[in-house]
Amino acid sequence: MLSVETITAGYGAITVLRDVSLAIGANEGVAVIGPNGAGKTTLVRALCGLNPVRSGRIVKDGREIQAVAAHRRAAAGIAVVLENRRLFGELTVRTNLDLAAREGDKRGADQRRFTLDGILALFPFMADRLDAHVELLSGGEQQMVAIGRALLLQPDLLILDEPSTGLAPKIVKSLVGIIARIRGEGVSVLLIEQNVQLATEAADRAYVMKLGRVVSEIGPEHWRGAAKDESLTRAYLGA
Ligand SMILES: Nc1ncnc2c1ncn2[C@@H]1O[C@H](COP(=O)(O)OP(=O)(O)OP(=O)(O)O)[C@@H](O)[C@H]1O
Ligand SMILES: [Mg+2]
């Protein structure tokens, strides 16, 4: 469904991503791990069109999208929850969700997987907070609103950039079940995570990035036990 082919991207004169290639299949959960500064967020920004790709291709469902503007990538089925969440803090939870739902309605009927009720079932706390301003919610609650909003765009690929950052351990654990339910609706998930425990539980396999490159690929067999393998996590995350 998505194939990234030797892309190069960066900021101004700085090149960050160098010949990055990876692929995600339909309904697959794929993790990207790597130390701080490895280029994970730059990859996310390239995938959602916030950073231009200088060379290489991004192919979604057979169509080249690297030149498609960021605001049109949702129409291609890609939704992103960025590191800083990018919610409209001064608006209510309901308005944030409605704005996304309106955008998601433009997707074909066959792509409509999520309704507001579905989102409230996924995140029960939200029902009582629909009229709250997002900036008054806790970090964990805001993360859930950001995921809900992304899902109402009706993506078939959801990209999460370090969703566990700043969350209490209990909420991090709940992310495993939430990601499983999202995948259960037929959505592929690209999960950027430094929490290898969460990443191994939520994704089937992984790519490891370092210094702007994909340095290794961990298949399902090895990935399952990767969190318990300290020498592996040390090597992967440079810790
Ligand atoms: N806006 C920017 N302008 C210039 N350089 C940037 C910018 N954002 C990131 N970089 C550089 O790009 C490199 C990769 O950063 P990136 O944020 O993609 O890493 P990351 O893997 O997401 O790290 P982290 O785990 O800390 O989130 C870093 O060397 C960083 O300094
Ligand atoms: Mg990052």
Side-chain angles (χ1 to χ4, degrees):
M1 69 116 52
L2 183 84
S3 119
V4 174
E5 301 169 7
T6 59
I7 61 168
T8 298
Y11 304 89
I14 306 163
T15 300
V16 175
L17 300 184
R18 296 168 190 273
D19 292 335
V20 168
S21 296
L22 51 87
I24 306 164
N27 210 20
E28 212 183 8
V30 175
V32 174
I33 61 170
N36 295 123
K40 304 181 299 295
T41 295
T42 307
L43 169 65
V44 170
R45 293 175 59 87
L47 293 179
C48 66
L50 293 172
N51 263 41
V53 165
R54 294 178 186 158
S55 62
R57 309 194 310 154
I58 301 172
V59 181
K60 172 93 183 3
D61 303 318
R63 172 180 162 227
E64 277 191 33
I65 59 158
Q66 69 273 3
V68 171
H71 67 279
R72 295 198 197 282
R73 301 241 178 150
I78 300 176
V80 184
V81 178
L82 291 166
E83 251 175 339
N84 59 13
R85 291 165 202 155
R86 288 239 185 159
L87 293 160
F88 301 110
E90 69 281 9
L91 301 180
T92 63
V93 172
R94 190 192 303 276
T95 307
N96 267 277
L97 296 176
D98 282 350
L99 287 171
R102 216 175 298 165
E103 204 49 44
D105 281 346
K106 297 179 191 160
R107 298 264 292 150
D110 58 326
Q111 294 291 344
R112 272 180 223 138
R113 297 177 167 89
F114 298 97
T115 60
L116 181 58
D117 284 346
I119 298 303
L120 298 180
L122 201 53
F123 306 110
F125 87 91
M126 235 178 258
D128 291 333
R129 307 303 302 274
L130 277 175
D131 295 312
H133 286 251
V134 161
E135 60 202 358
L136 299 179
L137 301 182
S138 76
E141 289 169 341
Q142 291 193 28
Q143 184 68 264
M144 305 300 166
V145 175
I147 296 173
R149 197 180 64 165
L151 292 174
L152 286 169
L153 294 171
Q154 312 296 350
D156 54 13
L157 172 62
L158 177 68
I159 303 173
L160 301 171
D161 192 357
E162 304 214 31
S164 73
T165 304
L167 301 187
K170 205 178 109 192
I171 302 178
V172 173
K173 266 196 191 142
S174 75
L175 278 175
V176 175
I178 288 163
I179 292 170
R181 286 173 71 179
I182 293 168
R183 291 183 55 196
E185 298 295 331
V187 176
S188 302
V189 174
L190 183 65
L191 175 64
I192 316 301
E193 254 307 332
Q194 298 205 43
N195 181 331
V196 181
Q197 183 69 43
L198 165 64
T200 53
E201 287 174 27
D204 307 317
R205 60 187 181 85
Y207 293 94
V208 183
M209 285 187 72
K210 258 181 202 170
L211 299 172
R213 294 179 190 274
V214 171
V215 292
S216 61
E217 213 178 316
I218 310 170
E221 303 283 285
H222 285 101
W223 184 236
R224 226 165 284 137
K228 290 188 197 76
D229 190 333
E230 265 180 50
S231 62
L232 281 181
T233 44
R234 215 175 304 130
Y236 296 155
L237 299 178

